[in-house]
Amino acid sequence: MARTTGTKAQRDHVRQTLAGFGATPAAIAAELQRRFGLRPRDAFRQAHGWTQDAVAEKLNANGTGSATFTGARISDYERWPFGGRRPTLAALSALAQVFGTEPSCLVDLDDLTSMPDADRAVLSGRNAAPIPSRSVTPSAPPGAMAEPLRWDLGALQDETELVIAVAERTASFGAWAQASNVGPFTLDDVAASTRRIAVDYLTEPPVVVYARAGLLADRVFRLLQTGRQNPDQSRELYTWAGYLCTLLAWMAGDLGHPAAAESQARTAWMCAETVRDNTLRAWVLSTVSKIHLWERRFEDAANAAVRGFGHAAEGSAAVMLACQEADAWAEIGAAEPARAALHRAEEARQHASGDPVGGLLACGTVRQHNYAGSVLLRIGEAASAIEHAEHALAQAAADPSVAYGTLAQIRIWAAAAHLNAGSLDGAVSVLSPVLALPPEQRLDPLVHRLRGVGRSLAGNPSLRTSIEARSVQAAITEFCATGAARQLP
């Protein structure tokens, strides 16, 4: 039957006009068939405005074919049965996937009349056997082969068709195996961004940094959930997801949300177990110890720190965990276990190496002094505590990267030590920079510790008539009423 296909300009005009009216490719293809007598496969291609080479490239890029898909081969499929070669059911299914339609829409009366009975039966739905296809279920990764390959050997024209069908299948698997949604710089960017968040939290508003950490964690989660990577890439993504959840848990605790912190710590532990990373395990347990401490589960806090110490293979995690164990024991007045833990922290310091994340997930000497002085104060060694405070503040003066939260904690317990020694002036002097912190930096742990200083002032009979003591108490009350947790939207 003769066909009047019109000029390319005429076909393009029809396509562009209908597209401007919001018509779908299927509707455009139907109009091209009616107006110009195009064959279905040709009509659908031109409805998209693609060349035959472009269709071949899309088939190969989608993992629905192999390098045997070329523009010439697409031309053969479009000309059949008046020339060219018959498209197999697998080819029709692959084309339908690219065009966004069904295989039955890509054949007309001439095709159906010329094709084998078995193919015609499948297209009409009278055969239960599925069309060979590399299409996937929504839950499968792109390119995954959800259905086994099936074909009717009697419908194959020759051994070339068989070889092509098998080659397409193996090429599809190869493309799937090599596919990754992780680009060459993705992991480096995730790592650098995680480290920056851990460092920025020490000096920037916590709510802002928490939001950044949440967005980055969501990006990593989506990479793991919506694509696929090679095993090494997946392991690295799980590792950074674990560290991000650890950071989020620590921050949530600082903002006064222990339930959220526990949830995030559980996810961080799952990631650590998935990749069997001992250093990540250690930092997760450090975060768990901190959560237990602020929930006043002091023995649980000590036990979590001991467990974490056993995992601390590198970096300063061992120093941090030994300090946290001492901190927990000091809370219940267990002086000897607290001193022993401080001694282990000092020994661990001698072997501490670089930390994989740093910043919040690192324990430098100033942070170690913070724990040591606080512990010594609570077990009755106020003079030694003040010495630690002086050493820590002197070191921090030369290191602007020290966390404002750590400095504030040092000043708070140093003020308590001065009050124990009967020096109100010493307490006021060391505490003044803390009371001047902006609201967004008034972390929940600082609020709790300052309340303790306020109670000490109120409970000291010799200070009840002191105007300066009442002024400090008023500043503490104002500080606690405008904590960082209140800055959350």
Side-chain angles (χ1 to χ4, degrees), residues 1-17:
M1 180 181 299
R3 304 276 178 169
T4 303
T5 59
T7 66
K8 181 178 185 303
Q10 290 172 327
R11 297 193 300 270
D12 287 346
H13 175 73
V14 170
R15 173 175 56 80
Q16 292 165 2
T17 302

Side-chain angles (χ1 to χ4, degrees), residues 28-398:
I28 297 172
E31 179 62 20
L32 291 174
Q33 286 180 267
R34 184 192 69 78
R35 185 178 294 262
F36 301 113
L38 297 185
R39 307 298 312 291
R41 297 177 288 285
D42 188 6
F44 266 92
R45 174 177 61 78
Q46 296 204 39
H48 286 277
W50 296 335
T51 65
Q52 293 167 337
D53 287 336
V55 173
E57 289 175 5
K58 291 179 183 296
L59 288 168
N60 296 328
N62 285 356
T64 54
S66 69
T68 55
F69 275 126
T70 63
R73 190 174 178 196
I74 302 304
S75 175
D76 282 344
Y77 288 161
E78 291 180 358
R79 290 186 291 118
W80 190 84
F82 304 104
R85 63 189 301 176
R86 177 174 60 82
T88 62
L89 291 178
L92 286 172
S93 181
L95 287 168
Q97 186 176 340
V98 167
F99 292 146
T101 187
E102 296 296 324
S104 59
C105 295
L106 297 181
V107 295
D108 59 12
L109 177 61
D110 293 324
D111 293 315
L112 292 170
T113 302
S114 302
M115 67 175 45
D117 291 341
D119 286 13
R120 194 163 47 246
V122 170
L123 288 172
S124 65
R126 291 185 285 109
N127 191 326
I131 298 175
S133 172
R134 262 65 67 188
S135 61
V136 298
T137 62
S139 61
M145 295 173 284
E147 295 292 335
L149 178 63
R150 301 175 185 175
W151 55 63
D152 180 357
L153 288 177
L156 296 173
Q157 291 178 316
D158 53 34
E159 73 280 0
T160 301
E161 288 287 341
L162 175 60
V163 170
I164 289 173
V166 175
E168 288 177 4
R169 190 64 166 179
T170 55
S172 178
F173 174 76
W176 176 84
Q178 291 181 350
S180 172
N181 62 342
V182 175
F185 304 111
T186 303
L187 293 173
D188 288 343
D189 182 59
V190 168
S193 298
T194 303
R195 293 186 179 108
R196 175 52 54 192
I197 285 168
V199 171
D200 287 350
Y201 185 72
L202 305 183
T203 57
E204 296 186 7
V207 173
V208 173
V209 183
Y210 182 87
R212 283 171 49 199
L215 289 173
L216 181 59
D218 184 66
R219 176 188 172 194
V220 175
F221 297 155
R222 284 187 286 107
L223 285 171
L224 285 166
Q225 291 177 310
T226 62
R228 67 177 304 276
Q229 311 84 34
N230 68 49
D232 287 342
Q233 290 173 329
S234 293
R235 175 184 174 83
E236 199 164 344
L237 283 173
Y238 270 108
T239 299
W240 290 116
Y243 278 119
L244 283 165
C245 287
T246 301
L247 289 167
L248 286 167
W250 195 286
M251 296 175 193
D254 282 348
L255 292 170
H257 295 272
E262 286 191 34
S263 174
Q264 289 155 346
R266 284 193 293 271
T267 302
W269 182 256
M270 178 277 295
C271 293
E273 289 292 283
T274 298
V275 297
R276 302 181 181 276
D277 188 315
N278 276 333
T279 302
L280 176 54
R281 283 171 171 146
W283 281 112
V284 175
L285 287 167
S286 170
T287 305
V288 170
S289 179
K290 180 211 176 192
I291 295 168
H292 289 337
L293 186 78
W294 288 107
E295 291 177 334
R296 305 189 66 78
R297 296 162 54 186
F298 301 123
E299 290 190 7
D300 288 340
N303 290 333
V306 170
R307 284 179 60 206
F309 190 89
H311 288 298
E314 60 178 325
S316 60
V319 180
M320 182 70 177
L321 287 154
C323 286
Q324 289 179 292
E325 182 194 351
D327 199 31
W329 291 130
E331 285 287 348
I332 57 179
E336 287 309 311
R339 289 192 187 94
L342 288 180
H343 180 68
R344 283 194 295 278
E346 192 57 38
E347 288 182 334
R349 170 63 61 197
Q350 309 308 313
H351 306 288
S353 57
D355 292 288
V357 176
L360 183 59
L361 301 186
C363 186
T365 55
V366 173
R367 201 172 190 182
Q368 185 179 354
H369 278 305
N370 176 33
Y371 276 102
S374 175
V375 167
L376 292 171
L377 174 64
R378 282 172 288 163
I379 62 176
E381 300 180 24
S384 296
I386 291 175
E387 288 181 9
H388 276 281
E390 291 173 348
H391 285 303
L393 293 175
Q395 291 182 25

